Amino acid sequence: MMKILCIGALSMASLYYAQSFPASAIPENLKKNADAVIRKDFTTIQINKIDDIRYQYYTVTTVLNKDGDSDAQVLIPYEKGDNISDIKVNIYDESGKKIKSYSKSDFGDFANNNQGTFYSNHRIMALSYTPTQYPYTVEFSYQISDENTIFLPDFVPFRSANISLEEAQLKIINKSGIELKTKTYPSKYNYASATESDSAGERIYSYKNVSAIDDAFLVPQPVKILPKVSFALTKFNLEGKQGNINSWSDFGSWYYSSILQPVSLSTPSIKAEVAALNLQGTTEEKVKKLYQYMQTKTRYIFVALGIGGWQPMLPDEVQKKGYGDCKGLTNYMKTLLDEAGIPSYYSVINSSSSPVSFDKDFPKMGGNHVILMVPTEKGNIWLENTSQQIAFNHLSYSTTDRNVLSIRKNGIELIDTPVYTADQSKEKQFLKINLNEDNSISGEGNFSFTGIQYDNNLVLATMSPKERNEAVKNLLDVLHFEKVEMKNFLNDKDNAVAKFDLDFKANNYSKNAGSSIIFRAVPIYSNNVYKTEENRELPFELRQSFEDEYEINFAIPKNFKIEELPENVNINSEFGTYKLSFVKNGEELKVNRTIRINKGLYPKEKYNDYINFRKKTINIDNSKILISKI
């Protein structure tokens, strides 16, 4: 949705090109866990007027191995109308010797379209370079002018794991006379800090010697670990639309009148469309019927046009063409609700696997996705409008547990999206299993998934029967399937439940011990490898709460009896709970198993406690049952 500028820079690149960058000069602490090292990242932002801003960039990146190639890509994202100049690129070998130089004429110019993008004003200039040896260093600078002053980038050391930083500096020169607001967000874990100075109208921020974040198990996203500095002009320009952002209220009023109102236009065709649905019942029932109708006639295609890619398509365009992006589909859905006399609110959100919220005390343009909120007497209804498969009033894990900018005529309200509890995010598994004397098992199962676990299984809705069988075979690979068939898959879009049945036969499940047979108590379990870390450096994040509830009914072979059963187990931990119990009934054995995990951001000191908790649950899942011939 928004224009992102994320390549480092300089005020006078020529001063730096006389330098040499041997890889041997990189401090050892910056090589640890790093695929690439940012040697220099200098940016100068000069704000001349409300509609005139100039960026000067200079970066030097040393790539240590193949995995770091993407961190040194030479790319210039821009939009039509931007003025790009002074492009220089040098490539250096390990010793710091220059081996290649490039200029603007060596760049290709392409549409900057992600997969699924249909229309876009976004462009990208890219330099193709194939390294022949490692390490190598890329030195890159350019300047770009823009009329849009609403997108001032955050100043962060880096944006991904396994990259370190030697030195970064951001200089802001504000000649516009417009107030520039700033806010520094320290690292909660003292991972790094920004220094700040202010001299003669220039603000300078810098980072030095920031080590790489290892992409270790359960490490939070860098945005949750690193410091940042945010900036916002109190007056701004976006594609000729000027506004104020002294407060969320100011910004919301501008957003409504400049971005949304011009495209919030119904048509006689849309009026007729809603009338034909003959809506009746409660508000929730009407919204559901409209939403599921909209899902059947639209599909998602990204469209980055209209006031910097932020303005939605007109509703009648979506109606006629049957497609749109998150903005267009949400605006269309909102128009359908308007025609039904049901108020709803266009809501901007940060969509990501780990929750990121807007700062209620620091208004600025942001977000990368749009959803719709419908207030009712029973609470808010949330609509994700880009999916043809997702259930009514269900948000996926990428949009839960954070706030949205809910756009109103008189401003913005920051509203929290739902949080799914473990009780709401369940896998229920019911298995009937026949133990066979040849060490195989055959059986059938019923599975259901809600909440976050519904999201994880929604992909099955678009698969063919053959693809579903392959998917479940891979998912349940702890069993050695001879055959497996998924049947009766149901995506219950009214209640956000995914269900399916399973018929299967699996070999080598049990082992012989003389005339006895030994088998594990839980057929389907997590086979993740959990390793302790003696020197854990960062906290760990359990991103979602969930609960798995299994009932397993074993039918043992004739002429066998249950000889030995494990003890019932009940474990309580701050990270969750685990229960395993056994009920013997003649030739049948019922095993009940429940595990619950509590989401949270936990300190590094508790990491091994969590790992040991999970190791213990896996060991108990592997508890052995002994049956013997009568």
Side-chain angles (χ1 to χ4, degrees), residues 105-126:
S105 61
D106 297 306
F107 281 69
D109 196 330
F110 310 97
N112 189 9
N113 294 351
N114 296 322
Q115 184 178 7
T117 304
F118 201 63
Y119 294 124
S120 176
N121 279 331
H122 299 324
R123 305 287 301 175
I124 191 165
M125 294 179 62

Side-chain angles (χ1 to χ4, degrees), residues 10 52 100 177 183 276 317 371 512 528 547 610 621:
L10 162 78
D52 182 6
K100 193 76 175 176
K183 186 168 183 177
E317 286 188 78
I371 56 179
N512 295 324
N528 288 341
E547 182 174 284
Y610 172 72
D621 284 342

Side-chain angles (χ1 to χ4, degrees), residues 95-345:
S95 68
K97 178 184 177 182
K98 188 186 340 183
I99 55 178
K100 193 76 175 176
S101 293
Y102 299 94
S103 62
K104 186 174 182 177
S105 61
D106 297 306
F107 281 69
D109 196 330
F110 310 97
N112 189 9
N113 294 351
N114 296 322
Q115 184 178 7
T117 304
F118 201 63
Y119 294 124
S120 176
N121 279 331
H122 299 324
R123 305 287 301 175
I124 191 165
M125 294 179 62
L127 177 68
S128 176
Y129 173 73
T130 303
T132 58
Q133 60 180 6
Y134 296 90
Y136 67 94
T137 297
V138 178
E139 185 179 30
F140 175 33
S141 70
Y142 71 97
Q143 299 185 37
I144 184 169
S145 297
D146 195 350
E147 68 172 11
N148 295 323
T149 51
I150 195 170
F151 304 112
L152 294 179
D154 290 338
F155 183 48
V156 294
F158 41 77
R159 296 178 184 273
S160 58
N162 301 119
I163 184 168
S164 62
L165 171 71
E166 195 165 350
E167 182 181 9
Q169 177 183 287
L170 174 67
K171 180 188 293 185
I172 295 188
I173 304 167
N174 184 10
K175 296 183 175 182
S176 67
I178 302 168
E179 181 186 359
L180 175 68
K181 290 187 175 182
T182 68
K183 186 168 183 177
T184 298
Y185 299 83
S187 167
K188 295 179 180 178
Y189 308 102
N190 297 316
Y191 198 82
S193 60
T195 60
E196 177 184 351
S197 62
D198 195 336
S199 176
E202 297 182 358
R203 294 189 187 182
I204 300 174
Y205 301 85
S206 60
Y207 299 109
K208 285 190 176 181
N209 297 319
V210 184
S211 57
I213 294 174
D214 186 21
D215 192 16
F217 186 54
L218 300 178
V219 166
Q221 291 182 336
V223 68
K224 292 198 169 182
I225 297 170
L226 296 170
K228 74 173 181 180
V229 186
S230 288
F231 310 90
L233 286 170
T234 56
K235 295 180 181 179
F236 61 83
N237 180 70
L238 176 60
E239 303 291 331
K241 303 286 186 179
Q242 297 183 358
N244 299 321
I245 196 166
N246 287 296
S247 65
W248 283 120
S249 179
D250 287 344
F251 184 52
S253 296
W254 172 85
Y255 203 118
Y256 181 86
S257 61
S258 298
I259 301 292
L260 297 184
Q261 194 172 36
V263 293
S264 299
L265 303 173
S266 187
T267 64
S269 178
I270 292 175
K271 293 178 187 292
E273 191 176 26
V274 174
L277 292 173
N278 191 27
L279 300 174
Q280 296 181 1
T282 64
T283 299
E284 182 176 357
E285 289 169 336
K286 293 176 182 177
V287 175
K288 180 189 288 188
K289 188 168 185 178
L290 275 171
Y291 176 71
Q292 293 180 344
Y293 163 78
M294 184 274 296
Q295 284 182 299
T296 63
K297 62 166 296 181
T298 60
R299 69 188 192 280
Y300 174 81
I301 292 180
F302 181 55
V303 182
L305 294 174
I307 308 186
W310 285 80
Q311 190 167 61
M313 293 169 61
L314 287 162
D316 68 319
E317 286 188 78
V318 178
Q319 183 200 37
K320 291 172 183 175
K321 295 176 179 177
Y323 61 72
D325 64 3
C326 63
K327 304 183 300 294
L329 294 171
T330 297
N331 191 41
Y332 174 56
M333 184 65 209
K334 184 180 187 308
T335 305
L336 294 176
L337 290 167
D338 287 344
E339 287 298 341
I342 301 171
S344 61
Y345 298 99

